[in-house]
Amino acid sequence: AQKITQTQPGMFVQEKEAVTLDCTYDTSDPSYGLFWYKQPSSGEMIFLIYQGSYDQQNATEGRYSLNFQKARKSANLVISASQLGDSAMYFCAMREEEDFNKFYFGSGTKLNVKP
Amino acid sequence: DSGVTQTPKHLITATGQRVTLRCSPRSGDLSVYWYQQSLDQGLQFLIHYYNGEERAKGNILERFSAQQFPDLHSELNLSSLELGDSALYFCASSVHRQTKGTQYFGPGTRLLVL
């Protein structure tokens, strides 16, 4: 089974609108971390936000927030007030306590912000 | 700037050749990961080193090998190159024994095999 699933290959959002990028994960480990990365067309991978499985509150970093629903095993990224510079690929990733030697990445979602 | 450096940024070579990609992790990070990203694809995990020791292997071909040196820099060696090896190769480093240990990525090496 896939450890990380991102079901939206591509999405469009109007500038200044909010957008949610979906991520579901599969693990039986009670302790794990969830990460989101942004990859603009220039290619670099930029860390955006982290959520720990035991964190009581949803993580937020500026315009990025993580809608963490543990029972549903989902960790959706919410970008508020989209900007043209948000156009990029977005990857969800997970690391488990039982095997912290590995990070699991989803297939990514390509976000296009329209002016 | 993530603090992870990779050289070279671009590499063009021919089929059958061998290349070495180099990575220096962030200061204090003992873990180094290598990934391959083919055109419009996700990240394929290749291998993980911690403090000089191999800790995990992913979909790494036998033609590929890696090592981590005492100064913690790492090298990924790709040999008998094929056209399909053309990709963006990332190195990432992290704090090791924490699920919170975020991976920070280098800028990548773009390899083109002609």
Side-chain angles (χ1 to χ4, degrees), chain A residues 21 34-40 45-51 59-66 77-79 85-86 88-92 111, chain B residues 102-105:
Chain A
L21 307 184
L34 297 158
F35 307 81
W36 276 92
Y37 290 85
K38 172 185 178 181
Q39 186 178 37
M45 291 284 287
I46 303 166
F47 165 68
L48 296 177
I49 195 167
Y50 163 83
Q51 179 83 47
T60 61
E61 289 286 348
R63 294 186 299 111
Y64 304 109
S65 61
L66 211 151
L77 178 70
V78 181
I79 305 174
D86 294 334
M89 281 288 283
Y90 289 82
F91 292 96
C92 178
L111 177 66
Chain B
T102 301
Q103 283 191 330
Y104 291 93
F105 283 76

Side-chain angles (χ1 to χ4, degrees), chain B residues 2-114:
Chain B
S2 67
V4 179
T5 60
Q6 286 187 252
T7 57
K9 286 191 175 179
H10 301 275
L11 198 49
I12 302 175
T13 188
T15 54
Q17 295 297 305
R18 172 190 169 96
V19 297
T20 297
L21 312 183
R22 184 188 168 103
C23 166
S24 292
R26 292 189 323 151
S27 177
D29 285 354
L30 301 180
S31 270
V32 169
Y33 301 77
W34 286 97
Y35 293 89
Q36 178 193 55
Q37 186 180 35
S38 301
L39 190 62
D40 292 332
Q41 299 288 312
L43 288 164
Q44 290 288 326
F45 167 67
L46 295 178
I47 199 163
H48 169 219
Y49 276 84
Y50 171 72
N51 203 20
E53 191 179 311
E54 181 187 305
R55 285 302 182 94
K57 258 185 176 178
N59 299 322
I60 188 166
L61 300 171
E62 284 192 11
R63 299 183 286 107
F64 296 1
S65 65
Q67 53 184 329
Q68 187 180 26
F69 295 87
D71 67 352
L72 301 178
H73 91 271
S74 179
E75 293 180 355
L76 180 66
N77 300 296
L78 315 176
S79 61
S80 303
L81 285 167
E82 302 175 359
L83 297 178
D85 297 328
S86 296
L88 184 54
Y89 291 85
F90 284 109
C91 160
S93 75
S94 79
V95 172
H96 185 60
R97 292 190 66 89
Q98 296 177 25
T99 54
K100 191 175 181 177
T102 301
Q103 283 191 330
Y104 291 93
F105 283 76
T109 293
R110 288 189 185 274
L111 173 66
L112 179 60
V113 182
L114 299 175

Side-chain angles (χ1 to χ4, degrees), chain A residues 66-104:
Chain A
L66 211 151
N67 183 2
F68 181 45
Q69 298 186 48
K70 197 169 181 177
R72 294 186 176 186
K73 294 188 176 178
S74 75
N76 299 338
L77 178 70
V78 181
I79 305 174
S80 63
S82 297
Q83 301 172 356
L84 296 178
D86 294 334
S87 294
M89 281 288 283
Y90 289 82
F91 292 96
C92 178
M94 177 176 68
R95 188 184 203 185
E96 298 166 310
E97 178 68 28
E98 285 177 355
D99 186 9
F100 43 74
N101 288 308
K102 288 185 180 177
F103 277 74
Y104 299 94

